[in-house]
Amino acid sequence: MKQKRLLLKGIIIGFPITVFLLRITGAINLWFYDIGDIANNEKFYSLELKPIEGEYSVLIDLSDLESNVGKILYDDGEHQIYVSNVFISDDANYDVSFRSSGKYNLYGATLVSGIVHERVQGGFSFGLRAYAKATYRGSTFKIYTSGSGLNYKDGDSFGFYVIPHDREVTLNIAEDPIIEITLSDLVMHKWSSKYGL
């Protein structure tokens, strides 16, 4: 009975102290916040950008849009960029959406993306850094972004229209449904604690 009271007393005293220490160190914030909050916290985290060398490609099957979900474009063992969705947009164009996943903890965060998430007054800039091109039936052409955002706990998303607005491209899905999407000029984001937590 005495041991149970001591255990209960330890829990009653220890729990508030633990919560207080987690709150002070910011660990509790990681349960509620995400990589976007770290990226936006200019007071506590600095940002370093590093270019990723090389070209990274994925084959998209336009005859079976759902089959593309999860295809890997980039993977270095800690960071990934993969196809999250392929759909036909309002203007009857194909939209290929990518999802970037990185990692974060109390010390900061890292993310490889096609977008640069630099801070600007009032928030972020979502400037597309990656150069995107598509190859279809032997013809290669530049493609353009359809949207982006740092909107996941561990990363961002960005997409491209398959048919460019500045060039005539005719897709014959019945004969050849495969198009290759290639990205280059990806960028590594590294947010580091300024206080060495």
Side-chain angles (χ1 to χ4, degrees), residues 37-191:
D37 295 299
I38 290 171
N40 199 34
N41 192 340
E42 194 171 358
K43 181 177 179 183
F44 292 105
Y45 296 96
S46 60
L47 171 62
E48 177 186 350
L49 298 171
K50 179 183 171 187
I52 301 291
E53 300 296 324
E55 291 188 336
Y56 302 89
S57 299
V58 64
L59 297 176
I60 302 297
D61 185 345
L62 298 177
S63 68
D64 184 1
L65 301 184
E66 288 189 19
S67 71
N68 300 295
V69 174
K71 289 182 177 179
I72 303 294
L73 176 87
Y74 174 89
D75 188 347
D76 66 7
E78 294 184 332
H79 310 90
Q80 278 192 342
I81 300 174
Y82 56 90
V83 178
S84 61
N85 196 9
V86 181
F87 60 96
I88 299 174
S89 63
D90 292 340
D91 58 356
N93 198 343
Y94 288 91
D95 190 319
V96 179
S97 297
F98 291 96
R99 163 97 158 78
S100 298
S101 64
K103 58 182 188 167
Y104 65 100
N105 56 35
L106 286 176
Y107 304 102
T110 56
L111 179 70
V112 173
S113 179
I115 307 164
V116 173
H117 297 287
E118 291 183 295
R119 296 180 198 99
V120 295
Q121 190 171 6
F124 294 109
S125 70
F126 296 108
L128 181 67
R129 168 85 170 246
Y131 177 80
K133 62 185 178 181
T135 302
Y136 183 71
R137 299 183 113 179
S139 178
T140 300
F141 44 91
K142 182 177 180 177
I143 56 176
Y144 298 92
T145 187
S146 60
S148 63
L150 191 58
N151 44 12
Y152 291 94
K153 286 188 81 67
D154 68 344
D156 67 12
S157 64
F158 54 95
F160 298 94
Y161 292 117
V162 169
I163 302 171
H165 58 75
D166 59 353
R167 180 172 172 172
E168 184 77 30
V169 175
T170 303
L171 300 175
N172 188 337
I173 306 304
E175 287 186 18
D176 191 357
I178 305 300
I179 189 166
E180 182 179 42
I181 306 294
T182 302
L183 301 185
S184 57
D185 299 328
L186 299 175
V187 63
M188 166 72 82
H189 298 72
K190 183 177 181 182
W191 292 275

Side-chain angles (χ1 to χ4, degrees), residues 3-18:
Q3 288 178 338
K4 287 184 179 179
R5 274 190 268 153
L6 283 174
L7 180 63
L8 183 61
K9 191 175 184 179
I11 291 171
I12 290 172
I13 293 171
F15 182 73
I17 291 171
T18 302

